[in-house]
Amino acid sequence: MCEERGLVGGASPDAVIPVERRARGIMARVRETQWGLILLALVAGCGAGAGAVVFRELIRLFTHLFTGHADYSAAGHAANPHLAWAGPFFVLAVPVVAGLVYGPLVHRFAPEARGHGVPEVMLAVAQRGGRIGAQVALVKSLASALTIGSGGSVGREGPIVQIGAALGSTLGRVVRLTEARLRILVACGAAGGIAATFNAPLAGVFFAMELILRDFTVESFGVVVLASVTASVIGRAAFGSGSFMQLPDFHMDHPAEYALFAVLGLAGALVGVGFTRVLYTVEDACDRIWRGPEWLRPAAGGLLLGGLLLAVPQMYGVGYPALEKAVDGGYAIGFLLLLLGAKILATSLTIGIGGSGGVFAPSLFMGAMLGSAFGAGVHQVAPSLTSSPGAYGLVGMGAVFAGAARAPITAVVILFELTGEYSIILPMMTAIVVAALASRHLSAGTVYTVKLRRRGIDLDAPPTDPRLTRRVASVMEPVPAPLSGALSVAAAAQPLVLSEHGALPVLDEQGAYQGVITARAAAEALADAEAGRQTVPPSAGDLAEMPAPLTIDMPLSDALHVLTAAGGSGLPVLDAERTVLAGWITHQSVLRALHVPAEGGQGADPVASKGVLRFVVDGSGRREREDAR
């Protein structure tokens, strides 16, 4: 009999019910308490660290598979040992073969995995409540590893940020976190990915805070640090604790050099902004030229990329060996400038044809070429007043990244951690600040935000339509009849089906707001009960989800973002103190508000004129009309 009821070990229903209720209580505390968020951050850090290790190993595997070398950018025009008859010409076919694999993979399962990834994470955090598909982590890992391993001239940071963020988002949605906490967990995954793959825990934290969350709070900073440290420990266990790049010691020879470093910062801004413009110009050109199926585009474009790799093999993959050789003074000025231009073209072409990879490492490469060439030039003119060219190469790396991404804090921290070189920190800060300020005057967007602006999405711009500045109170509807949290799901199904919005608010026994239950959640619970997958039927309170809070004094633009991220047909509106249900808002009510002129009549704001017309819900489910003056 016990087996027929699906009870393990012959346990009685009375014994199972408290266990399930206790499990629900634990999950609720994990969602709502600070220690729960800390626990989730640690798990996200572990997942991001493991993902970074797997991702780097995949790149190493595919690089060796395609070239027969550990890093072909350091091999010159060498042949693949397994295809010795082809000589160096094998690189013409490698990007094509890889494109035939990752092109259909990305097109079919995760189109957002195409490109450099960070803008997609920024958009998910800013406007989609931190929601990123679980499949993105797997598809991005394979597509980016194939792209880089087959010669794509892109970096690891964009993919690992998107992979870690997708893992954090998936974990948060499984636990049913609120949107505010889900965004933080996405940042934890992104920080962990950066920390583990580059052995740079501080850089991971500031990358996530400055570029992903774009906000600094005590709660978010603390848990992001925990995730970053956890991932870094895993990364160090796999790759060791040494600095990511081994470079010689450098020092300042004369205070007058600070002026030269400032000039280098200005040049870095020009290169960073120029790279951004070339990147999207090439992407537009590829869009205009290609007329075939999208999944075939990486393979077709791979012919062009292969030709470039044949001419300049230093462009193969990330290219850190060539970067280190440039900073060590291994190239002449003319060749450094050639590598700078080739990197801009190779990275733009890789992304333009549909490759998957980041732009952080390419910007470091460009900065190293620019700085080393600049340093060699000024050292020839004034050898007694200037440091070795390598010092300028290090500073140039930070300057170009700051000029492209306009993230000065991240640039300073990440360059320090990547190189372990503290003696150059003051010149680096000088050049990076100059580059960031100059970049702001040269371009309205960054290498990350321009991609979103091209879709009509500006994360920094206030709403241009004055109607979007109106408050939610002016457009909200009456609160639909609420359900009691103790109501069974079977009893809640009927009013949910009859409700206009397919969702109803839920109150506990004391009449306090408990969340929103949807018809879809009820239908899934009923289906589980009928299939015998649930021994204890949940109540309406168990299925209630707490959406992002909307208040009567919130601008309509903010409410629209919350509505879009929620994906449902309506959300409750709370009073200014977030204690009383004051109304209900839907996409239709917002559209009606945008259609009605903002001045006078129906468009007038009750908060600003005659008070707020609220429908206060008491514990019995009655709705009372009240004016809040």
Side-chain angles (χ1 to χ4, degrees):
M1 187 67 177
C2 292
E3 291 180 355
E4 291 176 4
R5 295 184 180 180
L7 302 178
V8 180
S12 66
D14 292 339
V16 173
I17 292 173
V19 173
E20 291 200 0
R21 286 180 177 171
R22 193 177 302 116
R24 292 193 192 112
I26 292 174
M27 291 294 288
R29 287 194 291 274
V30 169
R31 286 194 298 269
E32 299 165 5
T33 61
Q34 184 64 28
W35 69 260
L37 185 59
I38 291 173
L39 177 63
L40 292 173
L42 294 174
V43 175
C46 289
V53 172
V54 172
F55 180 56
R56 283 186 60 174
E57 290 302 321
L58 281 174
I59 293 175
R60 184 178 305 175
L61 171 66
F62 287 132
T63 301
H64 194 273
L65 177 66
F66 284 121
T67 69
H69 298 270
D71 193 324
Y72 191 75
S73 66
H77 289 89
N80 186 331
H82 307 297
L83 300 170
W85 54 270
F89 294 95
F90 79 95
V91 296
L92 292 172
V94 165
V96 178
V97 174
L100 289 172
V101 179
Y102 72 77
L105 180 69
V106 171
H107 181 72
R108 173 65 178 84
F109 295 104
E112 61 268 42
R114 175 186 170 187
H116 47 107
V118 174
E120 307 298 336
V121 179
M122 294 169 67
L123 179 62
V125 169
Q127 296 189 3
R128 295 175 181 169
R131 292 173 174 82
I132 303 174
Q135 76 280 5
V136 172
L138 179 60
V139 174
K140 189 71 175 181
S141 299
L142 292 173
S144 297
L146 281 165
T147 300
I148 298 171
S150 64
S153 196
V154 284
R156 296 194 292 248
E157 120 284 341
I160 198 58
V161 165
Q162 199 168 9
I163 292 166
L167 291 173
S169 177
T170 302
L171 174 62
R173 285 184 289 121
V174 167
V175 182
R176 294 168 57 195
L177 284 182
T178 61
E179 287 188 358
R181 291 196 162 195
L182 184 58
R183 292 186 180 99
I184 295 175
L185 207 59
V186 167
C188 288
I194 289 284
T197 195
F198 293 115
N199 189 19
L202 279 176
V205 171
F206 285 102
F207 188 97
M209 301 298 292
E210 192 173 20
L211 290 172
I212 305 301
L213 280 182
R214 299 156 64 87
D215 186 24
F216 286 81
T217 64
V218 174
E219 180 186 41
S220 59
F221 184 80
V223 294
V224 170
V225 167
L226 287 175
S228 183
V229 170
T230 303
S232 186
V233 169
I234 294 175
R236 291 187 179 190
F239 306 121
S241 57
S243 297
F244 185 71
M245 290 185 289
Q246 301 299 323
L247 299 169
D249 294 334
F250 299 112
H251 60 278
M252 287 280 293
D253 288 337
H254 197 281
E257 279 192 278
Y258 282 103
L260 295 175
F261 284 114
V263 174
L264 178 57
L266 180 59
L270 292 171
V271 171
V273 172
F275 165 56
T276 301
R277 292 180 178 173
V278 172
L279 173 67
Y280 292 109
T281 299
V282 170
E283 191 170 2
D284 287 341
C286 292
D287 289 338
R288 288 194 301 270
I289 295 172
W290 181 247
R291 289 292 180 267
E294 197 63 28
W295 61 267
L296 190 58
R297 176 166 160 173
L303 289 171
L304 296 176
L305 180 59
L308 181 58
L309 296 176
L310 180 63
V312 191
Q314 289 84 357
M315 297 299 103
Y316 199 103
V318 181
Y320 282 126
L323 183 155
E324 293 184 14
K325 186 175 181 179
V327 175
D328 284 340
Y331 297 131
I333 294 177
F335 193 65
L336 288 168
L337 296 178
L338 172 65
L339 292 180
L340 170 61
K343 193 67 174 181
I344 293 175
L345 179 59
T347 302
S348 302
L349 183 59
T350 302
I351 293 178
I353 64 175
S356 178
V359 296
F360 167 68
S363 69
L364 295 188
F365 188 102
M366 297 168 202
M369 302 305 125
L370 171 69
S372 297
F374 181 87
V378 297
H379 192 69
Q380 290 179 4
V381 174
S384 60
L385 295 179
T386 56
S387 308
S388 66
Y392 291 88
L394 276 181
V395 173
M397 290 161 63
V400 172
F401 174 68
R406 207 173 300 152
I409 299 175
T410 301
V412 171
V413 174
I414 205 166
L415 261 295
F416 168 62
E417 285 197 296
L418 288 183
T419 63
E421 185 59 51
Y422 184 76
S423 61
I424 207 73
I425 195 73
L426 293 180
M428 186 181 294
M429 292 173 67
T430 301
I432 284 174
V433 168
V434 170
L437 292 175
S439 172
R440 186 175 295 276
H441 289 285
L442 293 171
S443 173
T446 70
V447 70
Y448 297 128
T449 60
V450 166
K451 183 174 183 178
L452 299 178
R453 285 171 179 260
R454 286 154 54 88
R455 300 186 206 164
I457 302 169
D458 189 350
L459 300 182
D460 298 316
T464 55
D465 193 327
R467 291 172 295 184
L468 292 177
T469 62
R470 297 165 57 191
R471 282 173 279 189
V472 170
S474 65
V475 302
M476 67 184 185
E477 303 173 359
V479 181
L483 300 177
S484 170
L487 200 63
S488 68
V489 65
Q494 184 66 17
L496 279 169
V497 170
L498 297 176
S499 67
E500 181 181 355
H501 312 294
L504 291 173
V506 178
L507 307 179
D508 63 15
E509 295 178 356
Q510 288 73 39
Y513 172 58
Q514 201 172 354
V516 174
I517 181 173
T518 63
R520 179 177 180 178
E524 290 175 351
L526 288 173
D528 288 343
E530 289 179 3
R533 290 190 292 267
Q534 202 144 24
T535 56
V536 181
S539 64
D542 294 330
L543 296 177
E545 295 185 7
M546 188 67 73
L550 288 172
T551 59
I552 56 175
D553 54 357
M554 182 180 288
L556 204 54
S557 58
D558 293 348
L560 196 55
H561 287 160
V562 175
L563 270 172
T564 303
S569 57
L571 288 176
V573 180
L574 306 177
D575 66 350
E577 291 76 28
R578 302 189 179 188
T579 57
V580 177
L581 276 174
W584 193 267
I585 188 170
T586 65
H587 293 92
Q588 290 83 356
S589 59
V590 174
L591 289 173
R592 282 195 296 269
L594 295 178
H595 181 67
V596 177
E599 296 82 17
Q602 292 175 308
D605 191 339
V607 176
S609 56
K610 298 183 179 180
V612 182
L613 182 63
R614 302 190 302 176
F615 292 83
V616 182
V617 184
D618 61 15
S620 63
R622 296 193 308 268
R623 290 183 292 168
E624 296 181 357
R625 180 168 158 173
E626 175 184 302
D627 278 329
R629 298 287 179 179

